[in-house]
Every structure is written in structure tokens, then in C-alpha cells.
Amino acid sequence: MEYLQTKGRIFDIQRYSIHDGTGIRTICFLKGCVLRCKWCCNPESQEYGIQEMMVRGKPKIIGRDVTVAEVMETVEKDRPYYARSGGGLTLSGGESLCQPEFSRDLLHAAKAVGINTAMESMACAKWETIESILPYLDHYLMDIKHMNGDKHRKFTGKSNELMLENARKIAASGRTRLSIRVPVVPTFSDTPEEIRAIAQFADKLPGVEDIYLLPYHRLGQDKYEGLGRTYELPHILPPEQERMQELKRTVEENSGLKCQIGG
């Protein structure tokens, strides 16, 4: 099984998570991303290179090279929890599609031993890359950040055309469960009009049943200082619960999608 020896670069493995997919999950965080979202809570994921980050006043090396087999040793430890809860392995980052062979082979390894698979991704890659991964993917958790290409570029560094086209193709393929996740970021995507546009787009995607509104938070802000970088949204506060409930109602009134705050 050659795929077990495929190498990739990760920066963390988190066990016992109840987010980023159903049930109890092990999340593998991959290095590298094509976007530079101003609110990113994992800025250490953006660069593929191994970095040094100051954490609580001490330097910490961020990033290590591993094989699929090495990651699976950790993933398989919690197999009983996956079976009881419907959980499994989730790939996150960064953007998993920046390491397509490693992502494909890691998902393949999990599926080969009967472990549920999920991937959190912006789908910012060639369709052929995504298509190669779909046979091994049970649940695609896809970010749709904004429907306006210019505003998307201003806040993330890239426009959204490729991602929206890939969302259509993933949904049309019928090869995996597709859920939509929307970061709700004040000044970027926290108005009813913006959320309505995303909900109406998602509602037209075949097979899509649920959408998650993810409220902006500042939990990763200290990481920017640790990396010697400037956090670009220092004055933005998390949306209030009342606003999140208003946006949830907007989704429900303008689509047939099941809407959840967080997740």
C-alpha cells in the first residue's frame, strides 16, 4: 500500500473534537493556503514552510513532515469513539488541497479501514484535483465566504469564481455530502443581504441540505504577534448573538436549508 508512505506537512493533530464534521473527530491540520483571509485564526497554517512562532514567550516550531501511516497511527487510536458517535477523520488547515496527494492518500487510508472522512476546504483548486479526492471523501465542508468577487478579493486575496464553480461541480457530482460554511465577519459578511445571497446560491446546489454560520472570533489574534505579523482587523468585535439569530432567520426565510450557528 504505497499510499501509506506519501509524505505531507502538518502543524497539529487535534483529537476528541466535536466540530468540523459529525460525531467525535480527529482533525489533522495541514500547512499551506492559497488565501490570506484577514480574520484567519490559524495564520501559522498559511505558509507551507516550517516556521518559528513565539507561544507564551517561548519559541515553538510550527510544522513537521509526516507520512500517511504516521498520521493514521494517531487517527486509529480513537476508532471506538468514531463508531459510537459517527465521527472520524477531518482534514483542515490551511487549505488541504494545497497538498493534494497527501490529502487524497490520507483520506484513502482512513476509508480503507472503515473510518468516516471529512474535509474543511475553500475548494480553491483545479477541478481535477478535487475530483481525485472525492472517491475517498464522505463529507465536504466547504467555505463560501462571499458572493461578491471584488469584496472577496479585498478580504482574502483572491476572487471567488473558481470556488463557486467548484461548489456547483461538487454538488452535481453527487459523490459526497456537501455542507456550506459561512464565516460571519463584521464589515465583510454580516449583513442580511450578504447572507441571503449565499443562502440562495447554496439552496440551488443539488443535495445540499445544511449551512453553518460561523461567528467571527479573535482567538487567533495573539498568533500574529508570535509570528511577527500585524493583525489587520484589530477593532472588529465578534457579532452579537442577536445578530447571529437574525442572520439565521434570513437563511431560513430565503432557502430550504437547515441552518446552524457554529459547527
Side-chain angles (χ1 to χ4, degrees):
M1 293 180 286
E2 294 184 4
Y3 58 82
L4 291 175
Q5 300 310 312
T6 302
K7 291 184 178 181
R9 183 166 291 175
I10 68 173
F11 66 96
D12 197 12
I13 299 179
Q14 179 181 316
R15 297 166 65 190
Y16 311 119
S17 175
I18 57 171
H19 302 290
D20 301 314
T22 57
I24 296 172
R25 310 197 70 83
T26 296
I27 305 177
C28 182
F29 292 87
L30 279 64
K31 269 281 212 171
C33 189
V34 293
L35 302 186
R36 292 295 182 267
C37 301
K38 294 181 181 296
W39 63 88
C40 180
C41 62
N42 287 331
E44 74 275 34
S45 76
Q46 294 178 350
E47 296 292 338
Y48 176 75
I50 294 174
Q51 299 168 283
E52 183 176 275
M53 182 171 71
M54 296 299 292
V55 180
R56 300 185 185 91
K58 296 181 179 180
K60 179 180 179 180
I61 299 300
I62 306 296
R64 59 190 175 99
D65 294 332
V66 295
T67 64
V68 166
E70 288 171 332
V71 175
M72 287 303 299
E73 287 181 11
T74 299
V75 173
E76 293 222 45
K77 290 179 181 178
D78 297 319
R79 181 188 287 273
Y81 297 103
Y82 308 148
R84 294 171 193 163
S85 68
L89 167 68
T90 298
L91 304 190
S92 187
E95 169 56 72
S96 303
L97 298 175
C98 288
Q99 299 186 54
E101 293 83 9
F102 181 65
S103 295
R104 179 199 63 212
D105 290 353
L106 185 50
L107 294 170
H108 186 178
K111 290 294 292 179
V113 294
I115 294 175
N116 177 274
T117 60
M119 181 173 70
E120 180 187 15
S121 163
M122 287 80 71
C124 189
K126 294 180 180 179
W127 169 243
E128 292 75 18
T129 297
I130 296 173
E131 193 174 29
S132 72
I133 288 173
L134 291 181
Y136 311 109
L137 185 61
D138 292 310
H139 193 181
Y140 203 127
L141 301 159
M142 182 179 172
D143 279 15
I144 294 182
K145 304 177 190 298
H146 210 284
M147 294 303 296
N148 181 289
D150 291 337
K151 195 168 188 181
H152 193 282
R153 184 186 299 278
K154 179 180 178 181
F155 277 79
T156 73
K158 286 186 178 293
S159 190
N160 59 357
E161 287 88 352
L162 177 61
M163 304 167 210
L164 297 180
E165 181 59 28
N166 281 333
R168 296 185 186 98
K169 290 180 178 179
I170 294 164
S173 77
R175 301 177 73 179
T176 186
R177 176 186 172 192
L178 176 61
S179 297
I180 302 304
R181 291 151 59 99
V182 184
V184 178
V185 182
T187 73
F188 173 61
S189 59
D190 69 330
T191 68
E193 293 76 19
E194 289 165 318
I195 297 301
R196 181 186 303 116
I198 296 174
Q200 290 175 339
F201 172 83
D203 197 35
K204 296 176 182 177
L205 298 174
V208 172
E209 299 178 353
D210 44 12
I211 186 168
Y212 298 83
L213 302 181
L214 310 180
Y216 163 79
H217 60 75
R218 302 170 69 170
L219 299 180
Q221 187 170 348
D222 290 345
K223 295 179 180 180
Y224 288 81
E225 183 177 350
L227 290 168
R229 293 175 53 186
T230 300
Y231 186 67
E232 295 189 46
L233 302 178
H235 305 301
I236 302 300
L237 298 176
E240 295 182 357
Q241 184 61 26
E242 183 178 343
R243 170 51 66 93
M244 293 302 302
Q245 290 295 335
E246 177 188 5
L247 298 178
K248 182 174 184 288
R249 288 193 298 271
T250 297
V251 171
E252 294 169 341
E253 291 169 359
N254 290 274
S255 74
L257 301 172
K258 178 182 177 182
C259 183
Q260 177 177 318
I261 297 174

